[in-house]
Amino acid sequence: MLIIMYLVTTSNTIKVIFMNIFYDANAIYEAGTKAIQGAPFKYASQLYEMNQLLNTALLQKELKEWKYKPSKGRKFTINERGKIRHITTDNMIDKTINHLLCDNVLSPAISPYLIYDNGASQKNKGVHFHRKRLEIHLHQYYRKHKTNEGYILLIDFSGYYASIPHNLCLKNIETFLNKIDENEKKVAMWILKNLFQIFDIDNKNGKGVDIGSQPSQNIGIAYPSKFDNYIKIVKGCKYYGRYTDDSYVIHKDKEFLKQLLKEVKAISNELGLVINDKKTRIAKLSQPFRILQISYQLTETGRIARRISPKAITRERRKLKAYKRLLNNDKLKYEEIENIFKSWMSGNYKNMSMQQITNMYQLYYDLFGRKVTWKNHGKLRYLMERNLKTLD
């Protein structure tokens, strides 16, 4: 982050004054550029870019005069594996402010308080990072204990984003911001309080943050930091990781994990969060257990057996058949279907058996009568076409 400062001279002293990032036109312009880059093909992004200098000046004026008010945004609902999720998409002005707030203030402020194994919504982290850390922890456990006899506690929060209390969350964020410039902290908290009022328009219960909003991502990874620190530091559980609302703890003693679960439930109650008893369980490492839609099992030799969930295969096969119907009705282009399928296969083939890869690609070929075109990825292409039955 570029720090802009200027000197104020008096008769005997020189004072260095740092410019508030929220009043810096260069920082606002840069935040707007990041917002445009998120979806440069959209009309709203192109319109904002055409007037970016004017928008920057107006935003700077609104922030200096404390007149900025976030909008409600557009909301839509998706059904993900039978679970209803309400998603919010912000307009370009709010996206610019969110980038300004999160990239320059929130993210740098909360990062020092996060454990390394907190794997969501951070630079160089994500689903792949979380899965890799799980496998590292399983290998470390096996090397230490020389056996696959042990247990894993799988913890899941119920309605995580929808249950975050606003008052406790704001106090938590304010604690994270204690070490930044006092003026920047005041503006950041003012923006966040206005944002939480927008979050409360629909629920009206003082709980919940909108999925899809950038500040919600920061809140999601940082709010249960007390939960993380208790398990990782106080209880000394080395083999622990969390991805938003999903956590795991690996330990050789089942009774230890039972007691730990009771203790973290008490911490969750303090935070206003609810642990989902249906999805929270203790499993044997030697038996299959599922994390982020992948089934894992630690074998007697220390090898980790990974398998994609059969339900994920079934869902993708149903989607391909639905894509075929949309293609026949001219509601979807073949190029779009091909890109979706290639993306799915690239992300999942390492966890699939040879037979699953063959069957999935055979269905694709039978439906569309064409092979997938590749610019690279020779290994996946070979695996997919190895046993393909074509009309040639």
Short mmCIF file of all heavy atoms in Angstrom, two decimals, residues 147-169:
data_model
loop_
_atom_site.label_atom_id
_atom_site.label_comp_id
_atom_site.label_asym_id
_atom_site.label_seq_id
_atom_site.Cartn_x
_atom_site.Cartn_y
_atom_site.Cartn_z
N THR A 147 0.66 -44.80 13.12
CA THR A 147 -0.57 -45.57 12.97
C THR A 147 -1.67 -44.67 12.41
O THR A 147 -1.59 -43.44 12.52
CB THR A 147 -1.04 -46.15 14.32
OG1 THR A 147 -2.26 -46.88 14.12
CG2 THR A 147 -1.27 -45.04 15.33
N ASN A 148 -2.68 -45.32 11.83
CA ASN A 148 -3.85 -44.57 11.37
C ASN A 148 -4.99 -44.64 12.38
O ASN A 148 -6.11 -44.21 12.11
CB ASN A 148 -4.33 -45.09 10.02
CG ASN A 148 -4.86 -46.52 10.10
OD1 ASN A 148 -4.52 -47.26 11.03
ND2 ASN A 148 -5.67 -46.91 9.14
N GLU A 149 -4.68 -45.18 13.56
CA GLU A 149 -5.68 -45.22 14.63
C GLU A 149 -5.77 -43.84 15.27
O GLU A 149 -4.82 -43.37 15.89
CB GLU A 149 -5.30 -46.27 15.68
CG GLU A 149 -5.31 -47.71 15.16
CD GLU A 149 -6.69 -48.12 14.69
OE1 GLU A 149 -7.68 -47.72 15.33
OE2 GLU A 149 -6.79 -48.84 13.68
N GLY A 150 -6.88 -43.20 15.11
CA GLY A 150 -7.08 -41.88 15.66
C GLY A 150 -8.43 -41.35 15.22
O GLY A 150 -9.21 -42.07 14.56
N TYR A 151 -8.71 -40.11 15.55
CA TYR A 151 -10.05 -39.57 15.30
C TYR A 151 -9.95 -38.15 14.75
O TYR A 151 -8.96 -37.44 14.96
CB TYR A 151 -10.87 -39.57 16.59
CG TYR A 151 -11.04 -40.93 17.20
CD1 TYR A 151 -10.10 -41.44 18.11
CD2 TYR A 151 -12.12 -41.75 16.85
CE1 TYR A 151 -10.25 -42.71 18.66
CE2 TYR A 151 -12.27 -43.01 17.40
CZ TYR A 151 -11.33 -43.49 18.30
OH TYR A 151 -11.46 -44.74 18.83
N ILE A 152 -11.00 -37.76 14.05
CA ILE A 152 -11.11 -36.39 13.55
C ILE A 152 -12.47 -35.84 13.94
O ILE A 152 -13.51 -36.48 13.74
CB ILE A 152 -10.91 -36.33 12.02
CG1 ILE A 152 -10.98 -34.88 11.52
CG2 ILE A 152 -11.89 -37.22 11.27
CD1 ILE A 152 -10.51 -34.70 10.10
N LEU A 153 -12.46 -34.66 14.56
CA LEU A 153 -13.68 -33.97 14.94
C LEU A 153 -14.04 -33.00 13.82
O LEU A 153 -13.27 -32.10 13.49
CB LEU A 153 -13.47 -33.21 16.25
CG LEU A 153 -14.58 -32.23 16.67
CD1 LEU A 153 -15.91 -32.95 16.87
CD2 LEU A 153 -14.18 -31.48 17.94
N LEU A 154 -15.19 -33.19 13.22
CA LEU A 154 -15.68 -32.33 12.14
C LEU A 154 -16.75 -31.40 12.71
O LEU A 154 -17.75 -31.85 13.25
CB LEU A 154 -16.27 -33.18 11.01
CG LEU A 154 -15.32 -34.24 10.42
CD1 LEU A 154 -16.07 -35.13 9.45
CD2 LEU A 154 -14.13 -33.58 9.75
N ILE A 155 -16.49 -30.08 12.61
CA ILE A 155 -17.38 -29.07 13.20
C ILE A 155 -17.99 -28.22 12.09
O ILE A 155 -17.28 -27.79 11.17
CB ILE A 155 -16.62 -28.17 14.19
CG1 ILE A 155 -15.93 -29.02 15.27
CG2 ILE A 155 -17.56 -27.17 14.85
CD1 ILE A 155 -15.01 -28.22 16.17
N ASP A 156 -19.28 -27.97 12.18
CA ASP A 156 -19.97 -27.16 11.19
C ASP A 156 -20.90 -26.18 11.91
O ASP A 156 -21.65 -26.58 12.80
CB ASP A 156 -20.77 -28.04 10.23
CG ASP A 156 -21.48 -27.24 9.15
OD1 ASP A 156 -20.84 -26.98 8.12
OD2 ASP A 156 -22.64 -26.85 9.35
N PHE A 157 -20.83 -24.90 11.51
CA PHE A 157 -21.74 -23.89 12.06
C PHE A 157 -23.05 -23.90 11.28
O PHE A 157 -23.05 -24.03 10.05
CB PHE A 157 -21.12 -22.50 12.02
CG PHE A 157 -19.99 -22.29 12.97
CD1 PHE A 157 -18.72 -21.99 12.50
CD2 PHE A 157 -20.18 -22.40 14.34
CE1 PHE A 157 -17.67 -21.81 13.38
CE2 PHE A 157 -19.13 -22.21 15.23
CZ PHE A 157 -17.88 -21.91 14.74
N SER A 158 -24.14 -23.74 11.97
CA SER A 158 -25.45 -23.72 11.34
C SER A 158 -25.83 -22.29 10.94
O SER A 158 -25.83 -21.39 11.78
CB SER A 158 -26.50 -24.29 12.31
OG SER A 158 -27.77 -24.27 11.73
N GLY A 159 -26.14 -22.09 9.64
CA GLY A 159 -26.52 -20.76 9.16
C GLY A 159 -25.49 -19.71 9.53
O GLY A 159 -25.83 -18.68 10.11
N TYR A 160 -24.23 -19.97 9.19
CA TYR A 160 -23.11 -19.18 9.71
C TYR A 160 -23.25 -17.68 9.43
O TYR A 160 -23.34 -16.87 10.36
CB TYR A 160 -21.81 -19.71 9.12
CG TYR A 160 -20.59 -18.91 9.50
CD1 TYR A 160 -20.26 -18.72 10.84
CD2 TYR A 160 -19.78 -18.34 8.54
CE1 TYR A 160 -19.14 -17.98 11.19
CE2 TYR A 160 -18.66 -17.61 8.88
CZ TYR A 160 -18.34 -17.43 10.21
OH TYR A 160 -17.24 -16.70 10.55
N TYR A 161 -23.29 -17.31 8.16
CA TYR A 161 -23.34 -15.88 7.82
C TYR A 161 -24.62 -15.22 8.34
O TYR A 161 -24.60 -14.05 8.75
CB TYR A 161 -23.23 -15.68 6.31
CG TYR A 161 -21.82 -15.83 5.78
CD1 TYR A 161 -21.40 -17.00 5.18
CD2 TYR A 161 -20.90 -14.79 5.91
CE1 TYR A 161 -20.11 -17.15 4.70
CE2 TYR A 161 -19.61 -14.92 5.43
CZ TYR A 161 -19.22 -16.10 4.82
OH TYR A 161 -17.93 -16.23 4.36
N ALA A 162 -25.71 -15.95 8.33
CA ALA A 162 -27.00 -15.39 8.75
C ALA A 162 -27.11 -15.22 10.26
O ALA A 162 -28.01 -14.52 10.75
CB ALA A 162 -28.14 -16.27 8.25
N SER A 163 -26.21 -15.83 11.03
CA SER A 163 -26.33 -15.79 12.49
C SER A 163 -25.30 -14.89 13.17
O SER A 163 -25.31 -14.79 14.40
CB SER A 163 -26.20 -17.21 13.05
OG SER A 163 -24.92 -17.76 12.75
N ILE A 164 -24.43 -14.23 12.42
CA ILE A 164 -23.40 -13.38 13.04
C ILE A 164 -24.06 -12.14 13.66
O ILE A 164 -24.68 -11.34 12.95
CB ILE A 164 -22.36 -12.96 12.00
CG1 ILE A 164 -21.59 -14.18 11.49
CG2 ILE A 164 -21.39 -11.93 12.57
CD1 ILE A 164 -20.57 -13.88 10.39
N PRO A 165 -23.96 -11.94 14.98
CA PRO A 165 -24.59 -10.78 15.63
C PRO A 165 -23.84 -9.48 15.29
O PRO A 165 -22.61 -9.43 15.36
CB PRO A 165 -24.44 -11.09 17.13
CG PRO A 165 -24.03 -12.53 17.21
CD PRO A 165 -23.30 -12.83 15.96
N HIS A 166 -24.58 -8.45 14.93
CA HIS A 166 -23.96 -7.20 14.49
C HIS A 166 -23.17 -6.51 15.61
O HIS A 166 -22.05 -6.05 15.38
CB HIS A 166 -25.04 -6.25 13.96
CG HIS A 166 -25.68 -6.75 12.70
ND1 HIS A 166 -26.73 -6.11 12.07
CD2 HIS A 166 -25.42 -7.85 11.93
CE1 HIS A 166 -27.08 -6.78 10.99
NE2 HIS A 166 -26.31 -7.84 10.89
N ASN A 167 -23.74 -6.44 16.80
CA ASN A 167 -23.07 -5.69 17.87
C ASN A 167 -21.76 -6.36 18.28
O ASN A 167 -20.73 -5.69 18.44
CB ASN A 167 -24.00 -5.54 19.08
CG ASN A 167 -24.50 -6.88 19.61
OD1 ASN A 167 -24.46 -7.89 18.92
ND2 ASN A 167 -24.94 -6.89 20.86
N LEU A 168 -21.77 -7.68 18.41
CA LEU A 168 -20.55 -8.39 18.79
C LEU A 168 -19.51 -8.33 17.67
O LEU A 168 -18.31 -8.21 17.92
CB LEU A 168 -20.87 -9.85 19.13
CG LEU A 168 -21.76 -10.09 20.35
CD1 LEU A 168 -22.02 -11.57 20.52
CD2 LEU A 168 -21.11 -9.52 21.61
N CYS A 169 -19.99 -8.41 16.44
CA CYS A 169 -19.08 -8.39 15.29
C CYS A 169 -18.38 -7.04 15.16
O CYS A 169 -17.18 -6.97 14.91
CB CYS A 169 -19.84 -8.71 14.01
SG CYS A 169 -18.80 -8.88 12.56
#
